[in-house]
Amino acid sequence: VAVHAEPERLRGLVLIRIACAAKGVARPALAEELAATAPAKVTAQQWRQRLEAVLGDLLREGLVTETANKLLAAEPGRARAAV
């Protein structure tokens, strides 16, 4: 159970962080801000790969959009983050 819970927690954290950024957040800033939440055994490269995978999922699902190098929560993403 714990193995599957970590990606879902990261996904929720990423979505909430993006939803809280009224003017959007750049990928590098997001990675830096959330790096402290990465498990200690995860390398910087692994962390970035995990984050990019989560962002890819959120973008494909229409929960997040990306314009001018900024990630923004779409309406469905804001609604999900508010739950």
Side-chain angles (χ1 to χ4, degrees):
V1 174
V3 172
H4 299 290
E6 191 270 330
E8 283 304 309
R9 281 193 298 263
L10 177 58
R11 178 185 165 90
L13 184 61
V14 169
L15 182 57
I16 289 168
R17 174 58 190 97
I18 294 170
C20 289
K23 295 183 180 181
V25 62
R27 285 177 185 247
L30 180 68
E32 184 178 329
E33 290 173 13
L34 298 181
T37 66
K41 63 184 177 186
V42 174
T43 67
Q45 181 180 2
Q46 290 169 327
W47 165 247
R48 188 62 179 208
Q49 289 171 340
R50 288 181 184 186
L51 181 61
E52 289 299 325
V54 166
L55 289 172
D57 289 344
L58 294 172
L59 286 161
R60 274 189 298 282
E61 293 169 19
L63 300 175
V64 171
T65 62
E66 187 169 23
T67 57
N69 299 320
K70 297 279 184 162
L71 295 159
L72 297 158
E75 183 57 39
R78 286 191 298 273
R80 175 124 1 127
V83 174

